[in-house]
Amino acid sequence: MLATAIAGAGIGLRTPHVQQILADDSLEIPWLEVLVDNWLVEGGLNQHLLNRISERFPLVFHSVGLSLGGANTLDVDYLNKIKSLKQACGGHWYSEHASFSGNDDFKVADLLPLPYTAEAVMHISNRIKQTQDIMGERILLENVSTYMSCRHNELSEGEFIAAIAEEADCYLLLDINNAFVTSVNLEQQLQSFLDAVPAKRVKQIHLAGFHQKGDYLLDAHNHPVDPQVWIAYQRYIQLNGNIPTMIEWDSEIPSLNRLLQERQIAADMMQLNAKAGVDRCA
């Protein structure tokens, strides 16, 4: 188990790449993000493989199944399983989404946005505090892609995320692709969202590719990062310094070499940023 700090550009650990990652001693990947929902079976081959990977690469943990903003009782058993796996593999932090996925009567696979209201800020903040008490540390909260706006909104999305971070005293995972998708779908200014999010709390960045569906963008994670998202990312780190950045690719998963090429673009931008003297400690 490594204790190395998380820095630089990483990738998401995906099942088709596991054996190649373990077999290739020459691979130089600063860190990997583990989608824990795929690794929660105790013992067996999964645990063995993840233990071996954790011996070579620093890991961070990410999940999609908590429904942090939901109205149902928080799933303590699920969190305890994540905590146990994270401790076993030396994971550096754990992140989830500012969203919900149903209630006690129904459940969906999607990450549904919350209404941007003061009531919702308090609701999800209280659940984040409960989560942080269980995990014994501050978690990272990620912004999600949206396709329509709620008529009950009282705040902008950026103000909503900032209010939650302040109330819950949590860190943030800034997904610039999600923010771009939302800005196009809702005809909003991406920069207004980025300006509203407190950069001092951003501990990780996600970059991914979307799918052009004609009159809207689908956050499909099945393409390379869009050039416009790269431009927004480069501008963001120029303003705020280098922040650990991860490439997400979840559908139509490419070869590991192709994924690493995408990672290298982020790494090159961070290197240029460091040379310009705007690096920051994560």
Side-chain angles (χ1 to χ4, degrees), residues 35 86 150 163 200 202 223:
L35 185 58
K86 179 175 174 294
C150 175
K200 65 181 181 181
V202 177
H223 284 93

Side-chain angles (χ1 to χ4, degrees), residues 45-59:
L45 181 61
N46 259 12
Q47 183 76 63
H48 172 71
L49 293 174
L50 198 56
N51 285 344
R52 286 183 59 196
I53 289 173
S54 71
E55 292 170 355
R56 285 185 51 200
F57 302 97
L59 304 177

Side-chain angles (χ1 to χ4, degrees), residues 210-222:
F210 54 77
H211 191 73
Q212 175 59 254
K213 299 290 286 186
D215 58 350
Y216 73 99
L217 304 181
L218 179 65
D219 180 29
H221 296 183
N222 63 343

